[in-house]
């Protein structure tokens, strides 16, 4: 029975990690293991939960209401703009910007920074996995 | 004839003021470090290290967790590499460049400005620009060098290269 469960989990994880390179797949697997330690009932990363993380507005460090959408927009195929510096941000969707989600070091860095900016704390493994799942799958449909 | 002499006098004077005769270079030394460009200039204009003295870069680089209200933290290794680049190329080491020299000269010994926009020389140079020109969406703030200084990327901040959005060239009188 537990074997079946493992297979299902592997299947789900490989679906969510569709199109990712091997270092990113490894990272997603790592997040998944952490997620299971964090919550016994954890099944898999979830697009809807990720969307909520991405779009929920919070009082950011500067006292203004911000969300991930503030800079990245919610059209991940399009360019965004840093609200503090006006600098253009390339599309987040790996389908429209093939350099996205290819380098684990970069992904970790931006998750750390941006969670702190919007949520004033780092994301948990579940949250990170959810939001990545949202971003990489949003434009697949 | 008098006119020609006058013109020559004016030209010579401005060349002396610009340090032309002792080979002073205009502007600041351009950015050369790829890691710095990648990590810092991905969010904001890539300020040349010669725009601030090393004491300022030091203060900025140890406070990246709260970098002008956003988290710009780096891992230790990248932080060390970038700090070294900034400090090795900071204003007080590049005083053969006019802007670096002027910036450096205007900072008091007990002062540690954490942005070039806080440097007295910079403030003096920008105090005549109307607030509406700075706040407009094409510019945003004085820290957005490239919005008006068309050659800022090359470290050149000359008046003749200024073009303010919705205003045009800047003529100082």
């Amino acid at each position: 029975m537990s074997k079946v469960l493992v297979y299902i989990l592997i299947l789900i994880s490989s679906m969510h990690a569709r199109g990712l390179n091997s270092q990113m797949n490894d990272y997603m697997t790592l997040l998944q293991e952490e997620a299971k330690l964090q919550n016994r009932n954890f099944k898999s990363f979830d697009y809807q939960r990720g969307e909520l993380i991405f779009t929920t507005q919070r009082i950011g460090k500067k006292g203004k209401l911000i969300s991930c959408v503030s800079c990245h927009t919610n059209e991940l195929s399009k360019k965004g703009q840093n609200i503090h510096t006006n600098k253009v941000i390339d599309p987040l969707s790996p389908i429209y910007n093939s350099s996205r989600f290819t380098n684990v070091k970069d992904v970790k860095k931006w998750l750390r920074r941006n969670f702190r900016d919007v949520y004033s704390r780092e994301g948990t493994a579940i949250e990170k996995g959810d939001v990545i799942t949202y971003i990489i799958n949003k434009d697949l449909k | 004839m008098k006119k020609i002499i006058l013109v020559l006098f004016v030209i010579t004077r401005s060349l002396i003021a610009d340090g032309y005769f002792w080979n002073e270079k205009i502007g600041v030394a351009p950015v050369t470090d790829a890691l710095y460009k990648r990590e810092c200039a991905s969010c904001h204009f890539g300020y040349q290290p010669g725009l601030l003295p090393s004491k300022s870069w030091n203060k900025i680089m140890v406070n990246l967790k709260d970098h002008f209200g956003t988290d710009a933290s780096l891992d230790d290794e990248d932080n060390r590499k970038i700090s070294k680049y900034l400090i090795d190329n900071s204003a007080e080491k590049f005083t053969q460049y006019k802007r670096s020299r002027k910036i450096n000269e205007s900072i008091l010994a007990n002062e540690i400005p954490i942005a070039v926009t806080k440097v007295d020389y910079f403030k003096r140079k920008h105090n005549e620009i109307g607030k509406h020109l700075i706040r407009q969406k094409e510019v945003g703030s004085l820290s957005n060098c490239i919005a008006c200084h068309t050659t800022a990327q090359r470290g050149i901040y000359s008046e003749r290269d200024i073009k303010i959005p919705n205003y045009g060239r800047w003529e100082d009188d």
Side-chain angles (χ1 to χ4, degrees):
Chain A
M1 180 58 198
S2 68
K3 248 189 184 171
V4 175
L5 200 68
V6 168
Y7 282 131
I8 290 171
L9 281 174
I10 290 171
L11 192 71
I12 291 168
S13 75
S14 65
M15 274 164 61
H16 277 274
R18 180 149 53 136
L20 293 177
N21 64 17
S22 67
Q23 58 164 297
M24 272 305 293
N25 273 325
D26 291 348
Y27 178 59
M28 291 303 276
T29 309
L30 195 78
L31 283 179
Q32 212 151 34
E33 280 160 15
E34 275 180 52
K36 275 180 247 169
L37 291 176
Q38 205 185 311
N39 180 350
R40 279 181 190 210
N41 301 320
F42 174 81
K43 295 276 183 304
S44 63
F45 293 127
D46 184 83
Y47 181 95
Q48 258 93 33
R49 286 199 309 256
E51 181 170 30
L52 203 64
I53 292 168
F54 198 81
T55 55
T56 301
Q57 287 198 317
R58 301 267 311 204
I59 305 273
K61 274 193 187 161
K62 286 190 169 174
K64 261 200 299 190
L65 267 180
I66 59 162
S67 69
C68 308
V69 174
S70 307
C71 294
H72 291 293
T73 85
N74 205 15
E75 288 185 74
L76 307 184
S77 59
K78 300 206 172 127
K79 288 182 175 180
Q81 191 178 27
N82 184 312
I83 53 167
H84 303 302
T85 64
N86 280 354
K87 187 122 185 173
V88 171
I89 303 171
D90 287 333
L92 258 194
S93 167
I95 298 151
Y96 293 88
N97 179 359
S98 60
S99 68
R100 292 294 189 196
F101 298 95
T102 56
N103 181 326
V104 172
K105 191 180 162 188
D106 268 353
V107 171
K108 281 184 180 171
K109 178 183 75 187
W110 284 112
L111 286 171
R112 179 184 71 231
R113 289 173 168 182
N114 292 356
F115 262 102
R116 282 197 200 140
D117 278 343
V118 180
Y119 289 90
S120 309
R121 60 169 176 81
E122 289 196 34
T124 64
I126 297 177
E127 289 169 331
K128 289 181 204 166
D130 286 344
V131 82
I132 293 173
T133 301
Y134 171 67
I135 296 167
I136 63 177
N137 288 299
K138 183 170 191 269
D139 289 296
L140 274 180
K141 290 157 195 166
Chain B
M1 185 60 192
K2 261 187 186 168
K3 255 190 186 165
I4 295 170
I5 290 172
L6 186 71
V7 167
L8 283 175
F9 175 73
V10 169
I11 291 172
T12 316
R13 223 182 59 151
S14 73
L15 287 176
I16 289 171
D18 279 346
Y20 187 83
F21 292 119
W22 55 89
N23 274 329
E24 185 172 60
K25 294 173 180 167
I26 60 163
V28 294
V31 171
T32 50
D33 189 78
L35 185 66
Y36 173 75
K37 280 187 203 167
R38 206 181 99 88
E39 293 301 332
C40 306
S42 53
C43 296
H44 55 66
F45 173 71
Y47 306 102
Q48 289 83 13
L51 290 172
L52 284 171
S54 49
K55 59 183 178 183
S56 298
W57 289 124
N58 240 327
K59 195 168 174 182
I60 292 166
M61 292 303 288
V62 298
N63 277 322
L64 282 184
K65 259 193 171 183
D66 189 5
H67 188 62
F68 303 96
T70 50
D71 190 303
S73 57
L74 291 164
D75 69 33
D76 291 347
E77 197 196 340
D78 286 347
N79 191 308
R80 222 174 12 251
K81 283 186 193 160
I82 290 174
S83 298
K84 184 177 179 333
Y85 166 67
L86 293 169
I87 287 161
D88 286 350
N89 293 279
S90 56
E92 78 273 26
K93 289 163 193 135
F94 280 80
T95 49
Q96 76 271 35
Y97 283 86
K98 178 182 159 190
R99 303 291 177 190
S100 291
R101 177 175 59 82
K102 297 254 189 184
I103 286 167
N104 208 42
E105 283 168 0
S106 89
I107 298 172
L108 302 172
N110 60 355
E111 224 187 340
I112 310 180
I114 54 153
V116 66
T117 53
K118 310 265 189 239
V119 173
D120 190 59
Y121 169 67
F122 178 99
K123 287 194 215 164
R124 265 188 280 130
K125 282 294 197 180
H126 294 87
N127 68 1
E128 284 173 34
I129 303 162
K131 288 242 176 353
H132 65 288
L133 292 176
I134 299 166
R135 290 206 190 118
Q136 61 173 327
K137 70 171 187 341
E138 290 87 345
V139 182
S141 78
L142 281 182
S143 52
N144 191 3
C145 310
I146 197 81
C148 305
H149 292 276
T150 58
T151 49
Q153 209 78 260
R154 290 190 276 136
I156 295 165
Y157 295 88
S158 305
E159 207 168 283
R160 63 165 173 269
D161 298 313
I162 297 171
K163 210 176 152 218
I164 303 176
N166 303 312
Y167 178 88
R169 294 193 149 345
W170 185 261
E171 314 273 356
D172 220 358
D173 48 21

